[in-house]
Amino acid sequence: MSGPVFDSVLDGVGATPLVRLRRIVPDGGAEVWVKTEWTNPGGSVKDRAALAMVLEAEQSGALRPDGVIVEGTSGNTGIGLAMVAAARGYRSIFVIPDRTTTEKVSLLRAYGAEVIKTPGLVPLEDPRHVKKLAATIARDTPGGWLADQYGNAANPDVHERTTGPEIWGQTAGRVTHLVAGIGTGGTITGTGRYLKRVGGVTVIGADPETSRYGGGDGSPYYVEAVGHYLHPLTGEDDWPAVYDTSLPDRIERIADGESLRTVRRLAREEGLLVGGSAGTAVAAALRLAASTGPDAVIVAVLPDSGRIYLSKYFDDGWLTTLGFLDAGTGPLVRDVLGPYEPGLLVADATTTVAELRSTLDRLDDPPSSVTVVQPRRTDATSWSVPDVLGSIRHDGLAGLVAGDRVGTCAGPPPATVGHGEDAVAVRARLSGLAPSDPVLVLVDGRAVTQVERSTLG
């Protein structure tokens, strides 16, 4: 049997296979199928939107023959646009958050794109913000055209025209539930819109636990290319215009640990090497499969390949130091620490020195230092590491001005250890610290308690 023949690499976008999961689905549960969007020529679901946005801009005249494609992206949309730009003869410039994997950056440059890194965790109003900086560059570049995946209607429209009909046809109309992550919202909006219209399909959004889409506090998470981060100093939260918030019937909030462990199970038990957002979608689909029964047919959209996350989600060292994985043959950090009270005493950056003194004075056994964090409105008992701004010693408070904010006088953030790290290796790594120096213990990427270095031996 011969395969398709294309006049251009861009003709290969879409028509991705549907694959049934066999080994990780719950017994007696629903069928779970996955839409393998990493088989697009640029490696992700974003190829569809990238091509559609460029073709629409060409037709409207917004993108001229000598134009420059510009976009702010966490990677996949940029890679898709870079591929399209190379195939159609455009220059391309992409602004990416500094937390993006090195593999994505290398791919963008491989297509000939110019890459500009910017801090990923800044308020929306900051001129360095990914979207703000990309808009500025597009405006100041002769012939610059901003793709604007967050507000470009071609993004959801292409999924309504292609992804939705493909799923309907591939399942012969049997699909009952669609599960998709929410990044820009284009995939779930367009695909879900079609499937609801033709078959009354139930649409489930899969979202990182702390993402704002599902009601989280907006704090950082470790799954790339999905969810909605909110810096606490952002004045007004800005959701993508292309995301129809009324479309999902419900949203499943998936913790980072569940997502990343699902990613590794997909590789080792199903032979599917996929990215973190795919793990989020499949984790939600597996929950759904266990509750809907054998008559349901669930389709989960898997946005990209694990090949661009080898330095993170498939790197045992990276996972272990963040508390996602156990490693080592000797006692682990949690074995050395033994039982501890859950919860981490923190002071947000806006707390005054006087207020922190008062808090510590009320404690029977105050810690030698307190972790300073971003000022989020939350009653969290664990904290995302990027939200940790510094540390302030109890015995140093006496020399500080009572009205000063602790965020302005805190020292560097404490060292961190994963709770599943080998304790001997940790002691060697932290040998340069003083016995009373603070150390944060991480479970699934979040600080759950603080100990003194001497506690670790």
Side-chain angles (χ1 to χ4, degrees), residues 363-390:
L363 299 179
D364 293 332
D365 185 23
S368 59
S369 61
V370 176
T371 299
V372 178
V373 298
Q374 290 279 16
R376 295 192 180 276
R377 296 188 181 94
T378 179
D379 56 356
T381 56
S382 65
W383 285 82
S384 176
V385 174
D387 264 355
V388 175
L389 301 177

Side-chain angles (χ1 to χ4, degrees), residues 136-282:
T136 299
I137 291 171
R139 185 188 66 231
D140 295 344
T141 301
W145 169 72
L146 182 68
D148 186 22
Q149 60 182 315
Y150 299 93
N152 193 323
N155 179 355
D157 288 353
V158 72
H159 293 290
E160 188 170 2
R161 287 188 286 105
T162 65
T163 317
E166 287 173 25
I167 291 171
W168 185 254
Q170 287 169 315
T171 61
R174 295 177 59 238
V175 57
T176 59
H177 297 77
L178 171 73
V179 179
I182 311 168
T184 65
T187 300
I188 195 169
T189 295
T191 309
R193 186 182 292 154
Y194 178 86
L195 293 176
K196 275 182 175 286
R197 184 170 68 248
V198 299
V201 171
T202 300
V203 176
I204 308 297
D207 202 39
E209 190 170 50
T210 62
S211 164
R212 291 294 298 148
Y213 291 140
D217 62 8
S219 60
Y221 42 88
Y222 290 91
V223 178
E224 287 189 26
V226 70
H228 184 63
Y229 163 75
L230 178 65
H231 193 283
L233 300 182
T234 292
E236 183 176 350
D237 195 5
D238 181 29
W239 287 26
V242 300
Y243 172 38
D244 182 353
T245 58
S246 68
L247 199 137
D249 292 282
R250 75 170 187 271
I251 294 178
E252 287 286 339
R253 296 172 62 185
I254 309 295
D256 284 342
E258 186 176 356
S259 291
L260 300 188
R261 282 185 278 274
T262 301
V263 163
R264 291 169 72 89
R265 289 194 68 197
L266 284 165
R268 298 182 180 200
E269 298 177 50
E270 299 281 359
L272 299 173
L273 189 69
V274 295
S277 60
T280 303
V282 171

